[in-house]
Amino acid sequence: MGVIVGIDKFMSECRALTNFTGNAVATLLIGKWTGEIDLDQARATLSGQNPFDELSLEPDFHGASTNAPEADVVLPDPHNTMAAEGQAKATIGS
């Protein structure tokens, strides 16, 4: 049993590394195929010349900025399914 647990721990780390590598390669390939990636910026960031700074990102709807305007969207209560279904039907019908 101990041998299996030891091998599974090693295999789990290999699976995680393979998954990470596949996601990174796929992201770069799709970005290149669609023309959405700036290769010079990517090279500079990956080489450490231009380190990523999270604070430089533009504020978005998800609360990155404390002075973001309030959203006009009213989300239904997920615990009240009858109200959520009624609101969805009212939205579709209008």
Side-chain angles (χ1 to χ4, degrees):
M1 187 68 155
V3 173
I4 293 172
V5 171
I7 292 172
D8 186 56
K9 172 100 172 126
F10 175 72
M11 292 300 294
S12 176
E13 291 181 17
C14 291
R15 283 189 296 268
L17 181 61
T18 302
N19 187 26
F20 172 77
T21 304
N23 289 343
V25 169
T27 300
L28 291 173
L29 284 176
I30 291 171
K32 188 170 182 179
W33 287 339
T34 60
E36 295 288 325
I37 189 170
D38 181 1
L39 291 176
D40 294 330
Q41 178 71 28
R43 283 188 190 103
T45 302
L46 293 173
S47 69
Q49 295 172 354
N50 187 11
F52 176 72
D53 181 15
E54 189 174 313
L55 298 176
S56 67
L57 296 176
E58 295 179 11
D60 60 1
F61 177 74
H62 300 290
S65 174
T66 57
N67 59 358
E70 293 295 323
D72 293 335
V73 177
V74 177
L75 299 175
D77 182 10
H79 301 291
N80 188 351
T81 57
M82 295 297 285
E85 289 173 6
Q87 188 174 8
K89 289 178 185 175
T91 305
I92 293 171
S94 59

